[in-house]
Amino acid sequence: MAAAAGAVPVPVPVPVAGAEAAGPGEEAAGAGPPGPGPARLARLPLARVKALVKADPDVSLASQEAVFVLARATELFVETIAKDAYVYAQQGKRKTLQRKDLDNAIEAIDEFAFLEGTLD
């Protein structure tokens, strides 16, 4: 069968012998942090996240999936703001984040506009 003129070939993933594909919402076995024990999909303790969710009087039930999604979203948010604030720490020739680095990131990046004034 001939390819159409100008068509871009699509790479097809080839399974590696002995490796199992991760399902939706799962990571491959070696994708987690190194060390003993199974790889965790969330780094925040889910029991604590669930306790925080249940502390809200408007919430009566929270499924494990919802708690996991909240924990993972929180991790990604903290990672993003920390990376953006680290740029400002590097500009000051420092490796340690300071409050002023977070303030600068919040002020400079539109996605963090909802945080303006929260660190006052």
Side-chain angles (χ1 to χ4, degrees):
M1 185 164 156
V8 178
V10 177
V12 177
V14 178
V16 178
E20 295 183 29
E26 298 177 3
E27 293 182 19
R40 289 179 45 178
L41 296 177
R43 288 178 239 150
L44 291 176
L46 297 180
R48 294 256 175 115
V49 174
K50 188 165 190 156
L52 287 170
V53 170
K54 286 191 164 194
D56 185 344
D58 295 332
V59 177
S60 57
L61 293 174
S63 69
Q64 277 303 110
E65 292 84 7
V67 171
F68 172 77
V69 169
L70 281 170
R72 190 69 181 115
T74 302
E75 291 168 10
L76 293 172
F77 172 75
V78 170
E79 181 180 335
T80 301
I81 196 167
K83 284 181 180 179
D84 290 337
Y86 186 65
V87 170
Y88 292 98
Q90 286 179 319
Q91 289 174 357
K93 303 209 184 330
R94 292 176 282 106
K95 291 185 178 180
T96 304
L97 290 181
Q98 296 177 356
R99 179 186 167 149
K100 63 183 174 182
D101 301 320
L102 288 169
D103 287 336
N104 289 335
I106 290 169
E107 197 173 303
I109 299 169
D110 292 337
E111 287 82 15
F112 301 137
F114 72 97
L115 292 172
E116 287 182 4
T118 58
L119 295 179
D120 295 337

